[in-house]
Amino acid sequence: MDTFTALTDAVGNSVGLSALVGALPLITFFVMLLVVKARAHICGAVALLVALLVAIVGFQMPWDLAVLSATQGAVFGLFPIVWIVVLALWFYQVTVLSGRFEDMRTLFDTIGGGDLRIQAILIAFCFGGLLEALAGFGAPVAITATMILALGLKPLKTATVVLIANTAPVAFGAVGIPITTAGVLTDLDPNTIGAVVGHQAPLLAVMVPFFLLLIIDGRRGLREAWPAALVIGACFSLAQWWSATFFSYELTDVVAALAGLAGAVILLRFWNPRGTEEVRQRLGVEAPAPAETLTAVRVWMAVLPYVIVVAVFGIAKLWTAGVNVPAALAGTDLKLPWPGLDGRLVDAAGDPISGTVYNFQWLSSPGTLLLIAGLITAVVYAIFHGNGAFRLTLGNAVAEIGRTMWKMRFAAMTIVSVLALAYVMNFSGQTIAMGTWVAGLGAAFAFFSPVLGWIGTAVTGSDTSANALFANLQKTAALEASLDPHLLTAANTSGGVVGKMISPQSLAIAATAVNMDGKESHIFRAVIWWSVGLLLLLCTVVFLQSNVLAWMLPL
């Protein structure tokens, strides 16, 4: 059977021309999204068609191999990516159906010593991080915005706070989907990529609570409540670093959010913020009605789902006493050579590439682990339902999986089309050509590396999509420029976290949540300079990590 080798100069024997032609699918995607303003799944489908044409006509890839590349990408998009996203959102829905989610909201409302500023930070940053870990796709912004608005903060300030708070958690959102996607597409270890991100994102996380204080109450707020910002930010960032490096990148946001909350609870036992009443007067906020007092049992039941998910993932990832659970789970993976494709895509030496083997992780997938954790949670809630307000049947919990799939159908179509697009571009050589061309910047490319992730996420609204589009480009550019591919792939992921706040999707969700429909431009002007400033900081950090600060990376 015919074989195919991807070339960096397939078009006119020129790397530059090949890179330009190879960029046409991405240009198509962005033009369709920003100019035509088509739905994301339509943009992905049109860009996929362009990628197939470029692969066949421009890069001389046999048409059947191009189509088969798209099918493998589409199936990978469905499983494990869509599977994980659906189960993550379903897990969150189980807490909502049980009524325990309202207790979690009340818990965050009551913690904070009655200080509006600390309450807003805990809700936007810690609770938002928890929601990003499990739900993602705009849910953290929408839910935390309504909660903070209820505290009395003005709409524009509320939108600004929740968008900036939803930065550091994004890289590990929906149980680490952006990192999982980058690992599969680049054939790099996602655990290593996650660990490197865990040495970048925490540097932003430790500063975000201070930014939120400044936005909410200016410099006076910083003077009066800085210990809370320091403790919450430090606990969150240290837990983020530890979990991404030593525990599980999939659970990083869950661990970090709970650590930030725990740090605040401990601090407020020994310290009270100054100016608690005065800040309400300055901001024109009325004193809140007394919050419902939660019993210890209700607090425990509200937190229980997150304890269960940490325990399930901890056993699956780390338990080796008696039975090596990680090895046993990995042993159930089915490695399936993609029919008609495997063995026909070869490198320059004539050896088959490894990317044509599809790994069906039916049991070890984070989505399946979330299903197990969710079912355990549903059973516990069904048995110990307390009163009628907390009644949840196992049947209703299972039926919610179908309802969640229906809600996510358009998001699923987008994911499938973007992953199919990425596979065609990667296997045909389009991505490699672009990566080789930008590698001409040499070591300086490390500085600009996060910008690609920033642009990709700002346009698509998804760090996962940004990695699907640019992760392999980052890897190729890194290898050509003698830089570490894990570093630049992680930089693409980290760059996406500061681009999320200015994406049209995020702006629209925030505007709707705070009743500012049609005024997205006002919110955009409020957050754009925060986004650009954090991006420049991240670019500097990545550049330094590529040379003088290389010692701080877990490589």
Side-chain angles (χ1 to χ4, degrees):
M1 301 178 70
D2 294 337
T3 60
F4 173 77
T5 301
L7 302 175
T8 59
D9 59 352
V11 183
N13 295 320
S14 167
V15 173
L17 184 58
S18 299
L20 178 61
V21 173
L24 289 176
L26 299 181
I27 295 172
T28 300
F29 183 87
F30 294 146
V31 168
M32 287 287 294
L33 197 63
L34 297 176
V35 180
V36 181
K37 299 188 183 301
R39 298 285 296 271
H41 63 280
I42 300 296
C43 300
V46 174
L48 172 59
L49 290 176
V50 174
L52 288 168
L53 287 173
V54 170
I56 296 167
V57 178
F59 285 75
Q60 290 85 52
M61 188 181 201
W63 70 269
D64 59 327
L65 295 184
V67 172
L68 287 169
S69 298
T71 61
Q72 185 181 346
V75 170
F76 171 71
L78 280 173
F79 193 99
I81 304 301
V82 170
W83 175 244
I84 295 172
V85 170
V86 167
L87 268 297
L89 183 57
W90 168 75
F91 186 90
Y92 156 72
Q93 284 296 117
V94 168
T95 68
V96 174
L97 290 173
S98 69
R100 301 290 181 179
F101 177 74
E102 290 302 317
D103 279 358
M104 195 68 176
R105 290 179 57 162
T106 302
L107 180 61
F108 276 90
D109 281 342
T110 54
I111 295 174
D115 191 287
L116 180 148
R117 298 163 299 192
I118 299 176
Q119 288 176 326
I121 292 174
L122 288 172
I123 292 170
F125 189 60
C126 294
F127 193 42
L130 207 56
L131 292 172
E132 182 66 37
L134 299 176
F137 288 88
V141 170
I143 294 171
T144 58
T146 58
M147 293 172 67
I148 293 175
L149 202 62
L151 293 178
L153 218 57
K154 300 300 181 185
L156 181 58
K157 191 168 287 190
T158 296
T160 305
V161 165
V162 297
L163 286 171
I164 293 174
N166 188 226
T167 51
V170 168
F172 303 99
V175 287
I177 279 293
I179 294 168
T180 300
T181 302
V184 171
L185 292 178
T186 59
D187 204 25
L188 298 173
D189 181 12
N191 294 294
T192 303
I193 298 173
V196 177
V197 175
H199 285 68
Q200 295 169 348
L203 300 176
L204 304 178
V206 75
M207 296 185 291
V208 167
F210 291 95
F211 297 156
L212 301 184
L213 264 185
L214 187 62
I215 293 167
I216 295 169
D217 194 30
R219 284 182 286 184
R220 181 177 294 185
L222 282 176
R223 290 197 303 270
E224 294 177 346
W226 67 265
L230 177 62
V231 169
I232 295 170
C235 289
F236 189 101
S237 60
L238 284 172
Q240 198 176 49
W241 163 80
W242 174 82
S243 182
T245 307
F246 302 109
F247 177 43
S248 166
Y249 74 85
E250 295 99 335
L251 282 189
T252 292
D253 280 347
V254 174
V255 174
L258 294 178
L261 174 62
V265 170
I266 294 172
L267 172 69
L268 292 168
R269 286 182 173 273
F270 304 97
W271 170 85
N272 291 312
R274 293 185 291 115
T276 296
E277 295 302 323
E278 290 80 358
V279 69
R280 293 187 177 276
Q281 296 173 5
R282 288 196 300 273
L283 299 179
V285 177
E286 297 181 1
E292 180 183 4
T293 301
L294 298 179
T295 64
V297 172
R298 286 178 64 178
V299 170
W300 168 246
M301 293 297 280
V303 176
L304 181 64
Y306 310 103
V307 175
I308 291 174
V309 78
V310 170
V312 169
F313 273 78
I315 293 170
K317 295 284 183 178
L318 301 175
W319 190 276
T320 57
V323 177
N324 189 326
V325 177
L329 289 175
T332 65
D333 295 351
L334 301 177
K335 298 188 182 299
L336 308 173
W338 202 251
L341 193 65
D342 186 58
R344 295 181 64 190
L345 298 183
V346 299
D347 58 23
D351 298 321
I353 66 173
S354 60
T356 56
V357 177
Y358 171 65
N359 190 16
F360 182 52
Q361 299 174 304
W362 65 277
L363 186 57
S364 64
S365 167
T368 306
L369 297 180
L370 278 172
L371 175 63
I372 294 170
L375 290 174
I376 294 173
T377 301
V379 168
V380 173
Y381 279 171
I383 296 174
F384 303 100
H385 54 77
N387 56 50
F390 301 114
R391 183 175 294 278
L392 173 70
T393 65
L394 185 59
N396 192 25
V398 173
E400 184 63 22
I401 297 176
R403 294 192 289 265
T404 303
M405 288 180 175
W406 178 251
K407 291 177 187 175
M408 295 294 295
R409 63 191 184 280
F410 292 117
M413 292 167 64
T414 301
I415 292 170
V416 168
S417 62
V418 169
L419 266 297
L421 165 69
Y423 266 69
V424 172
M425 293 184 66
N426 290 344
F427 285 165
S428 66
Q430 298 172 55
T431 305
I432 299 172
M434 287 187 289
T436 302
W437 183 74
V438 299
L441 293 171
F445 180 68
F447 180 85
F448 297 100
S449 178
V451 177
L452 290 177
W454 180 75
I455 292 173
T457 305
V459 173
T460 66
S462 166
D463 205 7
T464 302
S465 295
N467 274 353
L469 297 174
F470 296 125
N472 208 46
L473 186 155
Q474 297 274 14
K475 174 191 174 183
T476 302
L479 294 174
E480 292 289 333
S482 299
L483 296 168
D484 190 281
H486 296 91
L487 173 61
L488 297 200
T489 305
N492 196 81
T493 309
S494 297
V497 309
V498 294
K500 186 70 177 285
M501 70 178 79
I502 60 170
S503 73
Q505 172 184 303
S506 296
L507 293 171
I509 291 172
T512 301
V514 301
N515 301 313
M516 288 182 65
D517 296 279
K519 296 182 179 179
E520 288 85 355
S521 60
H522 293 70
I523 302 173
F524 176 80
R525 287 195 293 270
V527 299
I528 179 61
W529 296 114
W530 291 100
S531 179
V532 172
L534 289 171
L535 174 64
L536 291 175
L537 174 62
L538 184 60
C539 288
T540 303
V541 168
V542 172
F543 177 71
L544 294 176
Q545 287 179 333
S546 71
N547 46 73
V548 296
L549 294 182
W551 53 267
M552 71 178 293
L553 297 177
L555 301 174

